[in-house]
Amino acid sequence: MQIITPENGFRAPLWRFFADILNIPHGSKNEAALSDYIRAFASERGFETKTDSVGNLVVRKPAAPGYEDHPALVLQGHIDMVCEKNDGTEHDFEKDPIRPILDGDWLKADGTTLGADNGIGVAAALAVLDAKDIKHPPIEALFTVDEESGLIGAMGLTPELVEGRRLINLDSEEEGIFYFGCAGGRNTSGSKAIKRIPPGEGSLLVRLRVEGLAGGHSGGEIHRRLGNAIRLGAQTIAAAGLADYGVCSLAGGGKHNAIPREFEALLAVKPEDLPKLEQAAADLQAQARRRFADDKPAEIFCEKLNQAPGAVIANGTALVDGLLALPHGVEEMSPIIHGMVESSTNLASVRTEEQKLYLLTSQRSAVGFKRDMLSRRVTAVLRLIGCEVKYESEYPAWEPNPDSPLLKFAEQVFNELSEKKAVLTAVHAGLECGIIESKIPGMDMVSFGPDIEGPHSPDERVRISSTERFWAYLVELLGRL
């Protein structure tokens, strides 16, 4: 049954394109089908397209009558999405469409990420290109690829692909918030060869689970009181006070830009130590539910499995200690923009294989040297537990420019249309604007969007009424530009 209908409040023309996007798998590095859809869309309307070597795509639409002498405007968004699903949800992101669910004034997905980040922005750009009845200057719609795995598309952007020097980034998630700066970032990962030894004689195989958390965006939501499932799992193991943790495997988290919401450890435990672990799980669950008021109720439990444990990791206790020592969360608030996080780090993922340990963390800061200092601190912990360290997906900050003409004009139009005043700020998340600015000096930029909650997690949802207002505002802004 189709739920994205005018009768359900979906009146803005962008919803038609968002519905199409939901039916096209487009996780990071799997955007070819959506890119083909956009090229076919442009070809049907006679619009010029151009692609660079990494797959970024530009569609050019001539100005509306009377606007031919106006400077071009770039509408920019990324066409990939974060692919996350709840345990027990059957979904193949390589081939299955996203299943939308209507929940009052919200649209969400059935056990998976929705892809409103950045599918709504992409749909809005397509709707502008498709429209025959709105006023606008010459439009360049820039669709970048592979944003969610580290802003890869923007990093490979060919500057000549874009001619305009005014850009609206449609990848923001709070209505009425106008961003004119963002943090830079870097991923710091560690790997280590592990040796395995026999478990203690008479050991039980026990599964420790942390689940139920909301997760969330490691940039935009790192300041909220949200639990990190990896950290909670390590704290539970340590709190049990076992002489030897008997670690068989560790698994938690996934994406560098998502706060981990699930963790699992298989442990070889002495029978007399099982009650200690069970009590620690109960205590940490109660503490988590009190501490993380912005989160969903944590579930921390352990269960004895009806099979003998296999080999355990030699000195697995040190690995758990490393998880406890790795920093996570806000490091420093901005002294310039009130309420904005300046620097943070995310303990993003841990995974053990038969002979290898992998750890992934992500650092962000509006100040380059502070990002690097935080990365070096993480590096020190990783090296102390014997890891080889790699740095990836480094990207620059977008330095705030409060004197931006485009920002001031966007603020003025919003304040005239809305009952509430626009809020001008920078965002702790990484936006492609920072990279675009470094590649195309002189680009005047602003970023805005509708209300989207829980991006990068299966709780992601977009507010329908907010998106309708976002569309009406975008149309008005284009006409006045």
Side-chain angles (χ1 to χ4, degrees):
M1 179 177 130
Q2 175 60 261
I3 65 170
I4 300 179
T5 65
E7 292 74 22
N8 287 331
F10 299 90
R11 297 180 178 86
L14 68 84
W15 292 114
R16 175 166 70 88
F17 298 102
F18 187 62
D20 287 348
I21 291 170
L22 293 177
N23 286 317
I24 304 171
H26 58 285
S28 300
K29 305 186 187 303
N30 185 40
E31 308 100 328
L34 183 51
S35 186
D36 289 345
Y37 166 87
I38 295 171
R39 273 192 290 269
F41 161 92
S43 177
E44 290 171 2
R45 291 156 180 80
F47 297 149
E48 176 191 356
T49 63
K50 194 172 181 180
T51 307
D52 65 13
S53 60
V54 297
N56 299 312
L57 172 65
V58 160
V59 179
R60 291 191 173 90
K61 180 184 181 182
Y67 286 69
E68 293 87 353
D69 60 343
H70 289 57
L73 177 73
V74 183
L75 297 178
Q76 188 266 320
H78 63 86
I79 63 173
D80 63 319
M81 66 173 283
V82 168
C83 298
E84 289 284 317
K85 62 181 179 179
N86 289 322
D87 281 359
T89 296
E90 293 186 6
H91 188 92
D92 185 345
F93 284 102
E94 295 288 320
K95 61 181 182 181
D96 294 340
I98 300 297
R99 300 183 295 269
I101 295 175
L102 185 62
D103 182 15
D105 192 30
W106 295 91
L107 186 70
K108 59 183 183 179
D110 184 11
T112 70
T113 38
L114 176 65
D117 172 17
N118 184 219
I120 290 294
V122 171
L126 290 171
V128 169
L129 293 172
D130 185 61
K132 297 180 176 62
D133 58 350
I134 66 174
K135 301 175 182 178
H136 58 78
I139 295 292
E140 292 181 290
L142 172 60
F143 302 103
T144 50
V145 297
D146 208 0
E147 189 266 358
E148 299 291 8
S149 63
L151 305 169
I152 305 301
M155 288 182 181
L157 177 67
T158 302
E160 293 74 23
L161 196 65
V162 177
E163 298 175 1
R165 291 299 181 266
R166 299 183 299 174
L167 183 147
I168 295 175
N169 171 275
L170 299 170
D171 188 19
S172 292
E173 294 147 6
E174 293 177 271
E175 183 186 358
I177 307 295
F178 290 79
Y179 294 105
F180 62 103
C182 74
R186 169 194 282 174
N187 293 348
T188 305
S189 62
S191 62
K192 175 185 177 178
I194 54 179
K195 179 183 177 182
R196 292 190 176 269
I197 59 176
E201 187 175 350
S203 295
L204 306 173
L205 182 62
V206 176
R207 176 189 288 123
L208 172 69
R209 286 280 302 170
V210 181
E211 58 186 45
L213 298 172
H217 194 293
S218 66
E221 297 181 291
I222 196 72
H223 63 287
R224 297 180 60 206
R225 290 177 291 178
L226 300 172
N228 181 312
I230 296 174
R231 175 61 60 79
L232 285 170
Q235 290 173 339
T236 301
I237 296 171
L242 311 182
D244 182 2
Y245 295 163
V247 177
C248 299
S249 66
L250 301 169
K255 304 291 191 302
H256 73 96
N257 51 9
I259 300 170
R261 67 182 188 280
E262 294 171 342
F263 171 83
E264 178 174 297
L266 294 181
L267 307 171
V269 176
K270 295 178 181 179
E272 60 268 26
D273 285 338
L274 179 56
K276 299 178 185 177
L277 190 62
E278 292 173 332
Q279 186 61 51
D283 291 345
L284 263 294
Q285 176 178 291
Q287 291 175 19
R289 292 182 177 190
R290 289 195 299 270
R291 289 167 56 202
F292 304 118
D294 293 341
D295 215 326
K296 298 164 71 176
E299 299 285 345
I300 306 177
F301 58 91
C302 53
E303 56 181 336
K304 181 172 73 70
L305 303 180
N306 294 322
Q307 62 188 85
V312 300
I313 299 171
N315 203 14
T317 298
L319 300 186
V320 176
D321 288 346
L323 295 179
L324 290 172
L326 283 167
H328 172 80
V330 175
E331 180 74 9
E332 191 172 353
M333 299 298 290
S334 172
I336 299 172
I337 300 177
H338 177 72
M340 189 191 88
V341 177
E342 181 182 79
S343 306
S344 76
T345 183
N346 180 39
L347 173 54
S349 174
V350 61
R351 174 169 54 90
T352 56
E353 296 180 352
E354 185 61 28
Q355 297 181 322
K356 201 86 169 179
L357 164 77
Y358 298 94
L359 282 161
L360 175 62
T361 74
S362 175
Q363 291 74 52
R364 303 175 190 264
S365 181
V367 181
F369 85 89
K370 291 187 178 182
R371 177 203 63 189
D372 297 344
M373 288 175 61
L374 191 50
S375 175
R376 284 194 287 271
R377 178 179 163 196
V378 170
T379 296
V381 177
L382 293 174
R383 286 177 175 165
L384 285 171
I385 61 175
C387 286
E388 295 182 3
V389 180
K390 290 175 59 177
Y391 306 109
E392 298 174 309
S393 301
E394 185 171 311
Y395 55 91
W398 171 20
E399 186 174 345
N401 175 22
D403 296 322
S404 156
L406 183 58
L407 172 71
K408 291 182 175 181
F409 191 73
E411 176 191 22
Q412 174 189 332
V413 174
F414 184 86
N415 288 344
E416 290 177 10
L417 295 181
S418 176
E419 296 179 356
K420 61 180 183 179
K421 295 294 183 181
V423 176
L424 311 185
T425 187
V427 63
H428 188 56
L431 290 174
E432 292 164 296
C433 295
I435 300 170
I436 293 171
E437 182 183 53
S438 71
K439 289 180 171 289
I440 311 175
M443 183 71 83
D444 188 14
M445 298 178 289
V446 66
S447 177
F448 59 84
D451 290 338
I452 298 173
E453 294 185 352
H456 301 185
S457 82
D459 291 322
E460 180 186 10
R461 60 181 191 166
V462 58
R463 193 190 301 270
I464 299 164
S465 59
S466 174
T467 305
E468 295 286 327
R469 292 188 294 270
F470 157 74
W471 170 254
Y473 166 73
L474 178 61
V475 169
E476 182 69 17
L477 181 64
L478 291 176
R480 296 201 193 185
L481 282 172

